[in-house]
Amino acid sequence: MSQFSIKDATAEDVPAMVDCFFAAFKNDVLVGNLDKNVDPQARDKKLGNWMIGLMKEAEQEINGTRFFKAVDEKGKPNAIASTPKAKANPEPELPGTNISLSKDFFAQLNANRKKHCNPEMDYFMHILTILPRYHRKGLGTVLLKHVLDIVDEQGKS
């Protein structure tokens, strides 16, 4: 995977990150059922706004969120990872969202996060997505290793 480098993602990367996220989860049963009746442009905008909001808070040291990207020689993100402090998307659910599935999924996610993660000591990798054409080529491992190296440097788990 030497053709890629891992860098911090910025707000300018968000449209490509959103594309990467939905391309990676295109055939995922959960994601597909959460928003299968949602307007794709509205869905993309909501995810992008959430990412930008977390990035702005991180700049002000409000949260510990970091977004990373694996970029090719052209600088295009082909994979993303994020390690946010737990924070839900504050925007209301979009018309067409499967509300009960969304509530159940995020309730379980948050319950498990609360049960298994100590926010003062643990990193929680919230997102790890790879464009499908790079699946099974080690790019996820490269991103995960980058995050784990940071965790080790900071003495966290």
PDB file of all heavy atoms in Angstrom, residues 74-114:
ATOM      1  N   LYS A  74      -2.696  11.444  -6.295  1.00  0.00           N
ATOM      2  CA  LYS A  74      -3.413  12.654  -6.733  1.00  0.00           C
ATOM      3  C   LYS A  74      -4.018  13.413  -5.554  1.00  0.00           C
ATOM      4  O   LYS A  74      -4.629  14.451  -5.734  1.00  0.00           O
ATOM      5  CB  LYS A  74      -4.510  12.278  -7.721  1.00  0.00           C
ATOM      6  CG  LYS A  74      -3.974  11.672  -9.001  1.00  0.00           C
ATOM      7  CD  LYS A  74      -5.114  11.221  -9.880  1.00  0.00           C
ATOM      8  CE  LYS A  74      -4.569  10.477 -11.084  1.00  0.00           C
ATOM      9  NZ  LYS A  74      -5.600   9.781 -11.834  1.00  0.00           N
ATOM     10  N   GLY A  75      -3.896  12.843  -4.349  1.00  0.00           N
ATOM     11  CA  GLY A  75      -4.437  13.493  -3.158  1.00  0.00           C
ATOM     12  C   GLY A  75      -5.893  13.169  -2.892  1.00  0.00           C
ATOM     13  O   GLY A  75      -6.513  13.744  -2.006  1.00  0.00           O
ATOM     14  N   LYS A  76      -6.472  12.237  -3.656  1.00  0.00           N
ATOM     15  CA  LYS A  76      -7.879  11.893  -3.491  1.00  0.00           C
ATOM     16  C   LYS A  76      -8.056  10.885  -2.359  1.00  0.00           C
ATOM     17  O   LYS A  76      -7.392   9.857  -2.328  1.00  0.00           O
ATOM     18  CB  LYS A  76      -8.419  11.293  -4.780  1.00  0.00           C
ATOM     19  CG  LYS A  76      -9.892  10.957  -4.695  1.00  0.00           C
ATOM     20  CD  LYS A  76     -10.400  10.409  -6.008  1.00  0.00           C
ATOM     21  CE  LYS A  76     -11.882  10.194  -5.905  1.00  0.00           C
ATOM     22  NZ  LYS A  76     -12.306   8.874  -5.775  1.00  0.00           N
ATOM     23  N   PRO A  77      -8.973  11.182  -1.395  1.00  0.00           N
ATOM     24  CA  PRO A  77      -9.233  10.214  -0.336  1.00  0.00           C
ATOM     25  C   PRO A  77      -9.870   8.943  -0.886  1.00  0.00           C
ATOM     26  O   PRO A  77     -10.842   8.996  -1.629  1.00  0.00           O
ATOM     27  CB  PRO A  77     -10.212  10.939   0.588  1.00  0.00           C
ATOM     28  CG  PRO A  77     -10.057  12.386   0.270  1.00  0.00           C
ATOM     29  CD  PRO A  77      -9.691  12.435  -1.189  1.00  0.00           C
ATOM     30  N   ASN A  78      -9.294   7.799  -0.543  1.00  0.00           N
ATOM     31  CA  ASN A  78      -9.814   6.505  -0.949  1.00  0.00           C
ATOM     32  C   ASN A  78     -10.279   5.685   0.239  1.00  0.00           C
ATOM     33  O   ASN A  78     -10.835   4.609   0.071  1.00  0.00           O
ATOM     34  CB  ASN A  78      -8.745   5.735  -1.717  1.00  0.00           C
ATOM     35  CG  ASN A  78      -8.447   6.397  -3.039  1.00  0.00           C
ATOM     36  OD1 ASN A  78      -9.238   6.330  -3.957  1.00  0.00           O
ATOM     37  ND2 ASN A  78      -7.311   7.068  -3.130  1.00  0.00           N
ATOM     38  N   ALA A  79     -10.022   6.190   1.420  1.00  0.00           N
ATOM     39  CA  ALA A  79     -10.453   5.527   2.647  1.00  0.00           C
ATOM     40  C   ALA A  79     -10.474   6.583   3.747  1.00  0.00           C
ATOM     41  O   ALA A  79      -9.734   7.564   3.682  1.00  0.00           O
ATOM     42  CB  ALA A  79      -9.494   4.400   3.011  1.00  0.00           C
ATOM     43  N   ILE A  80     -11.344   6.389   4.721  1.00  0.00           N
ATOM     44  CA  ILE A  80     -11.419   7.337   5.832  1.00  0.00           C
ATOM     45  C   ILE A  80     -11.559   6.585   7.150  1.00  0.00           C
ATOM     46  O   ILE A  80     -12.037   5.456   7.189  1.00  0.00           O
ATOM     47  CB  ILE A  80     -12.590   8.335   5.684  1.00  0.00           C
ATOM     48  CG1 ILE A  80     -13.934   7.597   5.581  1.00  0.00           C
ATOM     49  CG2 ILE A  80     -12.374   9.262   4.517  1.00  0.00           C
ATOM     50  CD1 ILE A  80     -15.143   8.505   5.664  1.00  0.00           C
ATOM     51  N   ALA A  81     -11.138   7.244   8.209  1.00  0.00           N
ATOM     52  CA  ALA A  81     -11.330   6.733   9.563  1.00  0.00           C
ATOM     53  C   ALA A  81     -11.597   7.937  10.456  1.00  0.00           C
ATOM     54  O   ALA A  81     -11.101   9.033  10.194  1.00  0.00           O
ATOM     55  CB  ALA A  81     -10.092   5.986  10.044  1.00  0.00           C
ATOM     56  N   SER A  82     -12.404   7.733  11.485  1.00  0.00           N
ATOM     57  CA  SER A  82     -12.609   8.808  12.448  1.00  0.00           C
ATOM     58  C   SER A  82     -12.627   8.227  13.844  1.00  0.00           C
ATOM     59  O   SER A  82     -13.013   7.085  14.054  1.00  0.00           O
ATOM     60  CB  SER A  82     -13.907   9.575  12.173  1.00  0.00           C
ATOM     61  OG  SER A  82     -15.034   8.825  12.549  1.00  0.00           O
ATOM     62  N   THR A  83     -12.177   9.038  14.788  1.00  0.00           N
ATOM     63  CA  THR A  83     -12.136   8.643  16.188  1.00  0.00           C
ATOM     64  C   THR A  83     -12.801   9.722  17.029  1.00  0.00           C
ATOM     65  O   THR A  83     -12.138  10.448  17.750  1.00  0.00           O
ATOM     66  CB  THR A  83     -10.682   8.445  16.654  1.00  0.00           C
ATOM     67  OG1 THR A  83      -9.980   9.677  16.451  1.00  0.00           O
ATOM     68  CG2 THR A  83     -10.005   7.332  15.901  1.00  0.00           C
ATOM     69  N   PRO A  84     -14.130   9.860  16.918  1.00  0.00           N
ATOM     70  CA  PRO A  84     -14.774  10.929  17.671  1.00  0.00           C
ATOM     71  C   PRO A  84     -15.095  10.547  19.099  1.00  0.00           C
ATOM     72  O   PRO A  84     -15.257   9.379  19.417  1.00  0.00           O
ATOM     73  CB  PRO A  84     -16.072  11.156  16.904  1.00  0.00           C
ATOM     74  CG  PRO A  84     -16.402   9.819  16.361  1.00  0.00           C
ATOM     75  CD  PRO A  84     -15.063   9.166  16.057  1.00  0.00           C
ATOM     76  N   LYS A  85     -15.181  11.545  19.930  1.00  0.00           N
ATOM     77  CA  LYS A  85     -15.832  11.351  21.212  1.00  0.00           C
ATOM     78  C   LYS A  85     -17.295  11.116  20.853  1.00  0.00           C
ATOM     79  O   LYS A  85     -17.783  11.591  19.834  1.00  0.00           O
ATOM     80  CB  LYS A  85     -15.712  12.601  22.092  1.00  0.00           C
ATOM     81  CG  LYS A  85     -14.291  12.992  22.424  1.00  0.00           C
ATOM     82  CD  LYS A  85     -13.719  12.087  23.459  1.00  0.00           C
ATOM     83  CE  LYS A  85     -12.334  12.576  23.842  1.00  0.00           C
ATOM     84  NZ  LYS A  85     -11.710  11.754  24.820  1.00  0.00           N
ATOM     85  N   ALA A  86     -18.003  10.386  21.665  1.00  0.00           N
ATOM     86  CA  ALA A  86     -19.387  10.042  21.351  1.00  0.00           C
ATOM     87  C   ALA A  86     -20.223  11.310  21.168  1.00  0.00           C
ATOM     88  O   ALA A  86     -20.268  12.165  22.031  1.00  0.00           O
ATOM     89  CB  ALA A  86     -19.973   9.188  22.466  1.00  0.00           C
ATOM     90  N   LYS A  87     -20.813  11.423  20.006  1.00  0.00           N
ATOM     91  CA  LYS A  87     -21.697  12.558  19.748  1.00  0.00           C
ATOM     92  C   LYS A  87     -22.620  12.188  18.600  1.00  0.00           C
ATOM     93  O   LYS A  87     -22.168  11.804  17.536  1.00  0.00           O
ATOM     94  CB  LYS A  87     -20.892  13.798  19.383  1.00  0.00           C
ATOM     95  CG  LYS A  87     -21.792  14.982  19.120  1.00  0.00           C
ATOM     96  CD  LYS A  87     -21.038  16.209  18.726  1.00  0.00           C
ATOM     97  CE  LYS A  87     -22.051  17.306  18.494  1.00  0.00           C
ATOM     98  NZ  LYS A  87     -21.575  18.406  17.782  1.00  0.00           N
ATOM     99  N   ALA A  88     -23.887  12.303  18.850  1.00  0.00           N
ATOM    100  CA  ALA A  88     -24.863  11.985  17.815  1.00  0.00           C
ATOM    101  C   ALA A  88     -24.980  13.147  16.836  1.00  0.00           C
ATOM    102  O   ALA A  88     -24.635  14.290  17.153  1.00  0.00           O
ATOM    103  CB  ALA A  88     -26.223  11.718  18.456  1.00  0.00           C
ATOM    104  N   ASN A  89     -25.478  12.845  15.676  1.00  0.00           N
ATOM    105  CA  ASN A  89     -25.752  13.890  14.693  1.00  0.00           C
ATOM    106  C   ASN A  89     -26.950  14.688  15.203  1.00  0.00           C
ATOM    107  O   ASN A  89     -28.023  14.121  15.415  1.00  0.00           O
ATOM    108  CB  ASN A  89     -26.057  13.259  13.332  1.00  0.00           C
ATOM    109  CG  ASN A  89     -26.103  14.281  12.218  1.00  0.00           C
ATOM    110  OD1 ASN A  89     -26.484  15.421  12.424  1.00  0.00           O
ATOM    111  ND2 ASN A  89     -25.729  13.861  11.038  1.00  0.00           N
ATOM    112  N   PRO A  90     -26.787  16.004  15.424  1.00  0.00           N
ATOM    113  CA  PRO A  90     -27.869  16.789  16.022  1.00  0.00           C
ATOM    114  C   PRO A  90     -29.007  17.105  15.056  1.00  0.00           C
ATOM    115  O   PRO A  90     -30.064  17.541  15.474  1.00  0.00           O
ATOM    116  CB  PRO A  90     -27.160  18.081  16.445  1.00  0.00           C
ATOM    117  CG  PRO A  90     -26.023  18.201  15.483  1.00  0.00           C
ATOM    118  CD  PRO A  90     -25.588  16.794  15.178  1.00  0.00           C
ATOM    119  N   GLU A  91     -28.801  16.879  13.760  1.00  0.00           N
ATOM    120  CA  GLU A  91     -29.842  17.193  12.803  1.00  0.00           C
ATOM    121  C   GLU A  91     -30.974  16.179  12.913  1.00  0.00           C
ATOM    122  O   GLU A  91     -30.750  15.010  13.196  1.00  0.00           O
ATOM    123  CB  GLU A  91     -29.275  17.188  11.383  1.00  0.00           C
ATOM    124  CG  GLU A  91     -28.266  18.286  11.144  1.00  0.00           C
ATOM    125  CD  GLU A  91     -27.798  18.329   9.694  1.00  0.00           C
ATOM    126  OE1 GLU A  91     -28.592  18.025   8.798  1.00  0.00           O
ATOM    127  OE2 GLU A  91     -26.629  18.666   9.487  1.00  0.00           O
ATOM    128  N   PRO A  92     -32.217  16.629  12.671  1.00  0.00           N
ATOM    129  CA  PRO A  92     -33.336  15.686  12.742  1.00  0.00           C
ATOM    130  C   PRO A  92     -33.231  14.624  11.643  1.00  0.00           C
ATOM    131  O   PRO A  92     -32.566  14.827  10.629  1.00  0.00           O
ATOM    132  CB  PRO A  92     -34.564  16.583  12.536  1.00  0.00           C
ATOM    133  CG  PRO A  92     -34.055  17.812  11.880  1.00  0.00           C
ATOM    134  CD  PRO A  92     -32.622  17.971  12.302  1.00  0.00           C
ATOM    135  N   GLU A  93     -33.889  13.504  11.879  1.00  0.00           N
ATOM    136  CA  GLU A  93     -33.917  12.449  10.869  1.00  0.00           C
ATOM    137  C   GLU A  93     -34.570  12.988   9.602  1.00  0.00           C
ATOM    138  O   GLU A  93     -35.499  13.786   9.658  1.00  0.00           O
ATOM    139  CB  GLU A  93     -34.693  11.230  11.385  1.00  0.00           C
ATOM    140  CG  GLU A  93     -34.066  10.556  12.583  1.00  0.00           C
ATOM    141  CD  GLU A  93     -32.756   9.845  12.271  1.00  0.00           C
ATOM    142  OE1 GLU A  93     -32.321   9.827  11.117  1.00  0.00           O
ATOM    143  OE2 GLU A  93     -32.171   9.307  13.218  1.00  0.00           O
ATOM    144  N   LEU A  94     -34.081  12.535   8.481  1.00  0.00           N
ATOM    145  CA  LEU A  94     -34.603  12.972   7.196  1.00  0.00           C
ATOM    146  C   LEU A  94     -35.883  12.219   6.851  1.00  0.00           C
ATOM    147  O   LEU A  94     -36.052  11.070   7.263  1.00  0.00           O
ATOM    148  CB  LEU A  94     -33.558  12.741   6.103  1.00  0.00           C
ATOM    149  CG  LEU A  94     -32.260  13.523   6.267  1.00  0.00           C
ATOM    150  CD1 LEU A  94     -31.209  13.015   5.291  1.00  0.00           C
ATOM    151  CD2 LEU A  94     -32.510  15.015   6.057  1.00  0.00           C
ATOM    152  N   PRO A  95     -36.767  12.855   6.080  1.00  0.00           N
ATOM    153  CA  PRO A  95     -37.967  12.132   5.632  1.00  0.00           C
ATOM    154  C   PRO A  95     -37.558  10.860   4.883  1.00  0.00           C
ATOM    155  O   PRO A  95     -36.661  10.878   4.052  1.00  0.00           O
ATOM    156  CB  PRO A  95     -38.649  13.127   4.685  1.00  0.00           C
ATOM    157  CG  PRO A  95     -38.133  14.476   5.103  1.00  0.00           C
ATOM    158  CD  PRO A  95     -36.734  14.229   5.600  1.00  0.00           C
ATOM    159  N   GLY A  96     -38.204   9.759   5.240  1.00  0.00           N
ATOM    160  CA  GLY A  96     -37.895   8.484   4.611  1.00  0.00           C
ATOM    161  C   GLY A  96     -36.982   7.608   5.444  1.00  0.00           C
ATOM    162  O   GLY A  96     -36.784   6.439   5.130  1.00  0.00           O
ATOM    163  N   THR A  97     -36.410   8.168   6.524  1.00  0.00           N
ATOM    164  CA  THR A  97     -35.551   7.386   7.407  1.00  0.00           C
ATOM    165  C   THR A  97     -36.382   6.366   8.167  1.00  0.00           C
ATOM    166  O   THR A  97     -37.493   6.663   8.599  1.00  0.00           O
ATOM    167  CB  THR A  97     -34.832   8.315   8.419  1.00  0.00           C
ATOM    168  OG1 THR A  97     -34.034   9.242   7.715  1.00  0.00           O
ATOM    169  CG2 THR A  97     -33.971   7.527   9.391  1.00  0.00           C
ATOM    170  N   ASN A  98     -35.853   5.177   8.334  1.00  0.00           N
ATOM    171  CA  ASN A  98     -36.491   4.151   9.151  1.00  0.00           C
ATOM    172  C   ASN A  98     -36.190   4.521  10.606  1.00  0.00           C
ATOM    173  O   ASN A  98     -35.160   4.150  11.161  1.00  0.00           O
ATOM    174  CB  ASN A  98     -35.933   2.774   8.794  1.00  0.00           C
ATOM    175  CG  ASN A  98     -36.615   1.658   9.545  1.00  0.00           C
ATOM    176  OD1 ASN A  98     -37.082   1.837  10.662  1.00  0.00           O
ATOM    177  ND2 ASN A  98     -36.654   0.490   8.924  1.00  0.00           N
ATOM    178  N   ILE A  99     -37.105   5.277  11.206  1.00  0.00           N
ATOM    179  CA  ILE A  99     -36.892   5.859  12.535  1.00  0.00           C
ATOM    180  C   ILE A  99     -36.675   4.780  13.598  1.00  0.00           C
ATOM    181  O   ILE A  99     -35.751   4.881  14.409  1.00  0.00           O
ATOM    182  CB  ILE A  99     -38.072   6.774  12.940  1.00  0.00           C
ATOM    183  CG1 ILE A  99     -38.267   7.900  11.926  1.00  0.00           C
ATOM    184  CG2 ILE A  99     -37.871   7.329  14.349  1.00  0.00           C
ATOM    185  CD1 ILE A  99     -37.175   8.925  11.868  1.00  0.00           C
ATOM    186  N   SER A 100     -37.510   3.749  13.620  1.00  0.00           N
ATOM    187  CA  SER A 100     -37.365   2.745  14.674  1.00  0.00           C
ATOM    188  C   SER A 100     -36.035   1.996  14.546  1.00  0.00           C
ATOM    189  O   SER A 100     -35.376   1.739  15.553  1.00  0.00           O
ATOM    190  CB  SER A 100     -38.549   1.771  14.687  1.00  0.00           C
ATOM    191  OG  SER A 100     -38.590   1.021  13.491  1.00  0.00           O
ATOM    192  N   LEU A 101     -35.624   1.661  13.330  1.00  0.00           N
ATOM    193  CA  LEU A 101     -34.335   0.996  13.135  1.00  0.00           C
ATOM    194  C   LEU A 101     -33.194   1.919  13.553  1.00  0.00           C
ATOM    195  O   LEU A 101     -32.249   1.498  14.218  1.00  0.00           O
ATOM    196  CB  LEU A 101     -34.165   0.573  11.672  1.00  0.00           C
ATOM    197  CG  LEU A 101     -32.861  -0.139  11.328  1.00  0.00           C
ATOM    198  CD1 LEU A 101     -32.713  -1.432  12.121  1.00  0.00           C
ATOM    199  CD2 LEU A 101     -32.799  -0.425   9.823  1.00  0.00           C
ATOM    200  N   SER A 102     -33.293   3.189  13.198  1.00  0.00           N
ATOM    201  CA  SER A 102     -32.262   4.161  13.564  1.00  0.00           C
ATOM    202  C   SER A 102     -32.139   4.282  15.082  1.00  0.00           C
ATOM    203  O   SER A 102     -31.032   4.221  15.632  1.00  0.00           O
ATOM    204  CB  SER A 102     -32.591   5.523  12.942  1.00  0.00           C
ATOM    205  OG  SER A 102     -31.616   6.476  13.281  1.00  0.00           O
ATOM    206  N   LYS A 103     -33.271   4.427  15.761  1.00  0.00           N
ATOM    207  CA  LYS A 103     -33.239   4.546  17.228  1.00  0.00           C
ATOM    208  C   LYS A 103     -32.659   3.291  17.872  1.00  0.00           C
ATOM    209  O   LYS A 103     -31.846   3.378  18.785  1.00  0.00           O
ATOM    210  CB  LYS A 103     -34.642   4.827  17.767  1.00  0.00           C
ATOM    211  CG  LYS A 103     -35.097   6.249  17.547  1.00  0.00           C
ATOM    212  CD  LYS A 103     -36.457   6.488  18.153  1.00  0.00           C
ATOM    213  CE  LYS A 103     -36.877   7.923  17.912  1.00  0.00           C
ATOM    214  NZ  LYS A 103     -38.207   8.204  18.466  1.00  0.00           N
ATOM    215  N   ASP A 104     -33.094   2.125  17.399  1.00  0.00           N
ATOM    216  CA  ASP A 104     -32.586   0.867  17.961  1.00  0.00           C
ATOM    217  C   ASP A 104     -31.086   0.723  17.740  1.00  0.00           C
ATOM    218  O   ASP A 104     -30.344   0.361  18.656  1.00  0.00           O
ATOM    219  CB  ASP A 104     -33.300  -0.335  17.340  1.00  0.00           C
ATOM    220  CG  ASP A 104     -34.728  -0.502  17.824  1.00  0.00           C
ATOM    221  OD1 ASP A 104     -35.105   0.149  18.817  1.00  0.00           O
ATOM    222  OD2 ASP A 104     -35.456  -1.292  17.196  1.00  0.00           O
ATOM    223  N   PHE A 105     -30.629   0.997  16.512  1.00  0.00           N
ATOM    224  CA  PHE A 105     -29.211   0.853  16.195  1.00  0.00           C
ATOM    225  C   PHE A 105     -28.358   1.772  17.059  1.00  0.00           C
ATOM    226  O   PHE A 105     -27.388   1.341  17.679  1.00  0.00           O
ATOM    227  CB  PHE A 105     -28.948   1.136  14.715  1.00  0.00           C
ATOM    228  CG  PHE A 105     -27.489   1.218  14.382  1.00  0.00           C
ATOM    229  CD1 PHE A 105     -26.710   0.066  14.350  1.00  0.00           C
ATOM    230  CD2 PHE A 105     -26.872   2.435  14.135  1.00  0.00           C
ATOM    231  CE1 PHE A 105     -25.347   0.126  14.062  1.00  0.00           C
ATOM    232  CE2 PHE A 105     -25.522   2.506  13.842  1.00  0.00           C
ATOM    233  CZ  PHE A 105     -24.762   1.347  13.811  1.00  0.00           C
ATOM    234  N   PHE A 106     -28.729   3.058  17.116  1.00  0.00           N
ATOM    235  CA  PHE A 106     -27.901   4.001  17.866  1.00  0.00           C
ATOM    236  C   PHE A 106     -28.015   3.792  19.369  1.00  0.00           C
ATOM    237  O   PHE A 106     -27.054   4.025  20.101  1.00  0.00           O
ATOM    238  CB  PHE A 106     -28.196   5.445  17.449  1.00  0.00           C
ATOM    239  CG  PHE A 106     -27.630   5.749  16.086  1.00  0.00           C
ATOM    240  CD1 PHE A 106     -28.457   5.841  14.980  1.00  0.00           C
ATOM    241  CD2 PHE A 106     -26.260   5.886  15.907  1.00  0.00           C
ATOM    242  CE1 PHE A 106     -27.919   6.091  13.717  1.00  0.00           C
ATOM    243  CE2 PHE A 106     -25.720   6.129  14.659  1.00  0.00           C
ATOM    244  CZ  PHE A 106     -26.558   6.235  13.557  1.00  0.00           C
ATOM    245  N   ALA A 107     -29.161   3.301  19.851  1.00  0.00           N
ATOM    246  CA  ALA A 107     -29.277   2.962  21.275  1.00  0.00           C
ATOM    247  C   ALA A 107     -28.319   1.824  21.627  1.00  0.00           C
ATOM    248  O   ALA A 107     -27.625   1.877  22.645  1.00  0.00           O
ATOM    249  CB  ALA A 107     -30.719   2.589  21.617  1.00  0.00           C
ATOM    250  N   GLN A 108     -28.268   0.802  20.771  1.00  0.00           N
ATOM    251  CA  GLN A 108     -27.350  -0.313  21.018  1.00  0.00           C
ATOM    252  C   GLN A 108     -25.893   0.138  20.904  1.00  0.00           C
ATOM    253  O   GLN A 108     -25.054  -0.253  21.721  1.00  0.00           O
ATOM    254  CB  GLN A 108     -27.617  -1.447  20.029  1.00  0.00           C
ATOM    255  CG  GLN A 108     -28.893  -2.188  20.307  1.00  0.00           C
ATOM    256  CD  GLN A 108     -29.149  -3.282  19.279  1.00  0.00           C
ATOM    257  OE1 GLN A 108     -28.222  -3.781  18.653  1.00  0.00           O
ATOM    258  NE2 GLN A 108     -30.408  -3.653  19.106  1.00  0.00           N
ATOM    259  N   LEU A 109     -25.600   0.937  19.904  1.00  0.00           N
ATOM    260  CA  LEU A 109     -24.237   1.452  19.736  1.00  0.00           C
ATOM    261  C   LEU A 109     -23.806   2.232  20.971  1.00  0.00           C
ATOM    262  O   LEU A 109     -22.729   2.005  21.522  1.00  0.00           O
ATOM    263  CB  LEU A 109     -24.162   2.347  18.491  1.00  0.00           C
ATOM    264  CG  LEU A 109     -22.817   3.019  18.232  1.00  0.00           C
ATOM    265  CD1 LEU A 109     -21.779   2.003  17.776  1.00  0.00           C
ATOM    266  CD2 LEU A 109     -22.976   4.109  17.173  1.00  0.00           C
ATOM    267  N   ASN A 110     -24.656   3.131  21.423  1.00  0.00           N
ATOM    268  CA  ASN A 110     -24.311   3.958  22.580  1.00  0.00           C
ATOM    269  C   ASN A 110     -24.236   3.136  23.861  1.00  0.00           C
ATOM    270  O   ASN A 110     -23.364   3.382  24.705  1.00  0.00           O
ATOM    271  CB  ASN A 110     -25.292   5.121  22.715  1.00  0.00           C
ATOM    272  CG  ASN A 110     -25.111   6.127  21.604  1.00  0.00           C
ATOM    273  OD1 ASN A 110     -24.011   6.321  21.084  1.00  0.00           O
ATOM    274  ND2 ASN A 110     -26.206   6.760  21.192  1.00  0.00           N
ATOM    275  N   ALA A 111     -25.125   2.143  24.021  1.00  0.00           N
ATOM    276  CA  ALA A 111     -25.075   1.285  25.214  1.00  0.00           C
ATOM    277  C   ALA A 111     -23.770   0.489  25.244  1.00  0.00           C
ATOM    278  O   ALA A 111     -23.124   0.385  26.293  1.00  0.00           O
ATOM    279  CB  ALA A 111     -26.276   0.345  25.235  1.00  0.00           C
ATOM    280  N   ASN A 112     -23.366  -0.046  24.110  1.00  0.00           N
ATOM    281  CA  ASN A 112     -22.109  -0.801  24.061  1.00  0.00           C
ATOM    282  C   ASN A 112     -20.909   0.102  24.252  1.00  0.00           C
ATOM    283  O   ASN A 112     -19.927  -0.282  24.896  1.00  0.00           O
ATOM    284  CB  ASN A 112     -22.007  -1.584  22.748  1.00  0.00           C
ATOM    285  CG  ASN A 112     -22.855  -2.823  22.778  1.00  0.00           C
ATOM    286  OD1 ASN A 112     -22.915  -3.512  23.786  1.00  0.00           O
ATOM    287  ND2 ASN A 112     -23.536  -3.104  21.680  1.00  0.00           N
ATOM    288  N   ARG A 113     -20.973   1.299  23.701  1.00  0.00           N
ATOM    289  CA  ARG A 113     -19.880   2.258  23.888  1.00  0.00           C
ATOM    290  C   ARG A 113     -19.746   2.593  25.372  1.00  0.00           C
ATOM    291  O   ARG A 113     -18.638   2.627  25.907  1.00  0.00           O
ATOM    292  CB  ARG A 113     -20.175   3.512  23.066  1.00  0.00           C
ATOM    293  CG  ARG A 113     -19.009   4.432  22.920  1.00  0.00           C
ATOM    294  CD  ARG A 113     -19.352   5.661  22.130  1.00  0.00           C
ATOM    295  NE  ARG A 113     -19.497   5.360  20.726  1.00  0.00           N
ATOM    296  CZ  ARG A 113     -19.890   6.249  19.817  1.00  0.00           C
ATOM    297  NH1 ARG A 113     -20.199   7.474  20.177  1.00  0.00           N
ATOM    298  NH2 ARG A 113     -19.997   5.911  18.560  1.00  0.00           N
ATOM    299  N   LYS A 114     -20.880   2.828  26.030  1.00  0.00           N
ATOM    300  CA  LYS A 114     -20.871   3.149  27.454  1.00  0.00           C
ATOM    301  C   LYS A 114     -20.342   1.984  28.291  1.00  0.00           C
ATOM    302  O   LYS A 114     -19.586   2.177  29.232  1.00  0.00           O
ATOM    303  CB  LYS A 114     -22.305   3.474  27.887  1.00  0.00           C
ATOM    304  CG  LYS A 114     -22.461   4.684  28.716  1.00  0.00           C
ATOM    305  CD  LYS A 114     -23.931   4.915  28.975  1.00  0.00           C
ATOM    306  CE  LYS A 114     -24.082   5.980  29.998  1.00  0.00           C
ATOM    307  NZ  LYS A 114     -25.450   6.288  30.303  1.00  0.00           N
TER     308      LYS A 114
END
